Amino acid sequence: SSCHLKFRLPDLLSAALVAPPRHTGKMGKIKFMSQVDMKIGVIGDEDTVTGMLLAGIGSVDGQGKKNFLIVDTKTHQREMEEVFHDLTNRKDIAMILITQGCAETIRMAVDGYSASGKVVPTILEIPSKEQPYDPRKDAVFQRVAFFYPQAYAMMGMEDKP
């Protein structure tokens, strides 16, 4: 017999993502960011971001600060980098989903963040319908392949990047 467990995605995400402690200024008192307060940032094409917003991850605060950026042909690389840096420095962002095409456009910023050693927010490169997914450009897959070299063969790739 097989065992089926039911998990809700928000429950899994909130259990997996715990913010670092914040000091309140009083000795011995540490306040943790509530799991409910954590958000997911998105940078990508219109279809990808719209889908994520329809799924409920969009947020705009009182000052008009958004947790997403819709990238089109008029979006400059500098704007994408600014939003990326803003999202990675926010204390209420636990994860940033970025389409692989957008990540390629700001690759230096994405790789610089990865090299910083920070894990929150976590950066995940996702495919878009305009560009096929290339696991050789994905930092998460590269880490998996480092510890499990057979991963390239399992993805139908003979050579490493």
Side-chain angles (χ1 to χ4, degrees), residues 7-114:
F7 293 106
R8 290 183 45 228
L9 183 59
D11 294 337
L12 290 174
L13 288 175
S14 64
L17 302 170
V18 178
R22 291 188 302 171
H23 296 281
T24 60
K26 296 179 183 176
M27 189 124 164
K29 298 265 184 174
I30 297 176
K31 180 182 178 193
F32 286 89
M33 175 73 72
S34 168
Q35 293 173 349
V36 177
D37 296 335
M38 300 301 282
K39 296 172 182 58
I40 299 173
V42 183
I43 300 173
D45 60 273
E46 183 176 11
D47 291 340
T48 301
V49 175
T50 300
M52 297 296 175
L53 295 178
L54 288 171
I57 68 169
S59 172
V60 180
D61 67 9
Q63 290 86 28
K65 188 184 262 188
K66 302 174 187 174
N67 67 331
F68 60 91
L69 173 67
I70 297 174
V71 177
D72 58 18
T73 57
K74 299 175 187 171
T75 308
H76 296 286
Q77 177 181 350
R78 184 177 188 97
E79 181 183 359
M80 291 172 61
E81 288 173 345
E82 288 173 1
V83 170
F84 179 80
H85 288 302
D86 177 51
L87 290 173
T88 57
N89 289 318
R90 284 177 52 176
K91 300 295 182 203
D92 64 333
I93 300 291
M95 181 185 303
I96 300 172
L97 303 176
I98 183 168
T99 58
Q100 201 169 46
C102 292
E104 279 300 308
T105 304
I106 59 167
R107 179 57 62 195
M108 289 184 65
V110 173
D111 288 348
Y113 178 80
S114 295

